[in-house]
Amino acid sequence: MSSEASSAWGEVDAYIADRLIGADADLDSALAANAAAGLPAIDVSPPQGKLLHLLARSIGAKRILEVGALGGYSTIWLARALPEGGRLVTLELEQKHADVAAANLARAGLASRVEIRVGAALDTLPKLAAEAAGPFDLAFIDADKPNNANYFAWALMLARPGSLIIVDNVVREGSVLAGTDADAAGARALFEAIAAEPRVTATAIQTVGSKGWDGFAIAIVNG
């Protein structure tokens, strides 16, 4: 991509955020806290966060599963979509990240809606299943990319007919086609897993913006 194109993508994202999202002290504080703690700046963009929020609201999600909390930026967007009594369970590998996320959620007044579980998600997800923690109405997967197909399989297991499963970073600047790194291979494995799964109907959308060229996979669990 040209530097001019990527700069324009970011400028358009800023325009969208200014017109349709506006200033948000809690979200801005979360990003500032993440940066101060040295967390990587890999959160979804504000327009992407609001998309997640709108999707959760559109299906009336009462229970949400997130794989990959980082500092809780996307968690805030999703938790805000929950109705009274709704619940979000977010999984985070790193205790440091979970601590930052917990502080950000508390500052946003959302701590009572969110449970953060720390540890490898492939260890935590079977525990959620054993606890009958589901079904979840929406699952958002944004963690280590080589395990995306495994996370998708668990999200499906913990879903119900009509649930949405959303996976971030599936295009990876086009490297999904022939990239040789583990993340690109993980993206292809996810597409293969979704394509072979008769219990879902799915698509993927390429995105450009302040986060570069990437995309989401979105699947609905069939009735």
Side-chain angles (χ1 to χ4, degrees), residues 25 72 76 141 149 158 165-166 173 213:
I76 291 172
I141 299 169
L158 290 162
I165 301 173
I166 305 167
E173 297 189 344
W213 172 26

Side-chain angles (χ1 to χ4, degrees), residues 198-220:
R199 291 174 289 175
V200 303
T201 300
T203 191
I205 299 295
Q206 298 184 80
T207 60
V208 297
S210 59
K211 298 299 180 180
W213 172 26
D214 216 319
F216 290 99
I218 304 174
I220 188 169

Side-chain angles (χ1 to χ4, degrees), residues 21-22 24-32 46 72-74 76-77 80 108:
I21 300 172
D24 190 304
D26 291 330
L27 289 168
D28 293 344
S29 293
L31 291 179
Y73 182 79
S74 57
I76 291 172
W77 275 113
R80 284 178 171 177

Side-chain angles (χ1 to χ4, degrees), residues 10-155:
E11 290 169 7
V12 172
D13 258 5
Y15 175 86
I16 292 169
D18 179 63
R19 298 305 188 277
L20 302 181
I21 300 172
D24 190 304
D26 291 330
L27 289 168
D28 293 344
S29 293
L31 291 179
N34 293 355
L39 273 60
I42 54 174
D43 313 89
V44 297
S45 68
Q48 291 169 342
K50 192 162 187 181
L51 173 63
L52 294 172
H53 174 87
L54 293 175
L55 288 171
R57 284 181 57 186
S58 73
I59 63 168
K62 296 178 181 178
R63 294 188 60 79
I64 296 175
L65 172 66
E66 181 181 50
V67 183
L70 192 62
Y73 182 79
S74 57
T75 319
I76 291 172
W77 275 113
L78 288 165
R80 284 178 171 177
L82 291 168
E84 189 69 29
R87 191 73 172 159
L88 187 154
V89 178
T90 185
L91 313 182
E92 174 52 49
L93 176 63
E94 301 289 344
Q95 183 66 58
K96 175 183 176 180
H97 297 178
D99 292 342
V100 175
N104 287 335
L105 289 160
R107 187 183 306 109
L110 296 167
S112 64
R113 299 186 190 183
V114 179
E115 177 186 359
I116 303 173
R117 297 205 181 189
V118 180
L122 290 180
D123 294 332
T124 308
L125 288 162
K127 294 176 183 177
L128 289 174
E131 295 166 11
F136 293 96
D137 305 306
L138 184 149
F140 177 51
I141 299 169
D142 189 11
D144 58 302
K145 311 312 171 185
N147 275 313
N148 271 348
N150 293 323
Y151 298 146
F152 170 77
W154 278 107

